[in-house]
């Protein structure tokens, strides 16, 4: 009889441990998500907005360079 009670108690303890483990992994996932969110918020804050605008300018200038090259290429073709 005491063995049966002991094994049931052991099962209960294991269930509790499993539940705690799940809660812990949930907590860790939440922390990861929060870290990711804070990184995104930091990335979108003012100091970095200037750099993202700078990147946009770089993109638009590279696009205009491509179109200039295209025109030069057309000119060269017509000369040849």
């Amino acid at each position: 009889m005491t063995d049966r009670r002991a094994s049931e108690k052991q099962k209960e303890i294991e269930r509790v441990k499993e539940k705690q483990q799940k809660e812990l992994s949930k907590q860790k996932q939440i922390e990861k998500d929060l870290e990711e969110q804070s990184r995104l918020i930091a990335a979108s804050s003012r100091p970095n907005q200037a750099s993202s605008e700078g990147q946009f300018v770089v993109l638009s200038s590279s696009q205009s360079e491509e179109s200039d090259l295209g025109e030069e290429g057309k000119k060269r073709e017509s000369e040849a």
Side-chain angles (χ1 to χ4, degrees):
M1 225 83 180
T2 53
D3 287 348
R4 186 182 234 178
R5 276 187 183 167
S7 66
E8 280 180 24
K9 191 76 178 160
Q10 190 62 37
K11 282 180 184 174
E12 187 62 32
I13 291 170
E14 282 173 20
R15 264 186 244 140
V16 170
K17 279 184 180 176
E18 210 174 289
K19 196 175 181 183
Q20 286 175 339
Q21 200 62 38
K22 282 181 183 176
E23 289 297 317
L24 194 67
S25 62
K26 271 186 197 175
Q27 194 64 36
K28 283 182 180 177
Q29 187 59 48
I30 290 169
E31 284 174 18
K32 275 185 189 174
D33 292 347
L34 285 174
E35 270 182 43
E36 192 62 35
Q37 280 181 335
S38 62
R39 273 195 216 120
L40 290 171
I41 291 168
S44 65
S45 64
R46 284 184 190 134
N48 284 335
Q49 272 183 346
S51 71
S52 67
E53 284 171 21
Q55 285 173 346
F56 183 76
V57 171
V58 170
L59 280 174
S60 60
S61 70
S62 69
Q63 282 174 347
S64 63
E65 279 174 27
E66 280 175 28
S67 63
D68 291 346
L69 285 173
E71 286 171 22
E72 281 178 28
K74 285 177 190 170
K75 285 179 191 170
R76 284 184 189 147
E77 282 175 23
S78 62
E79 283 175 15

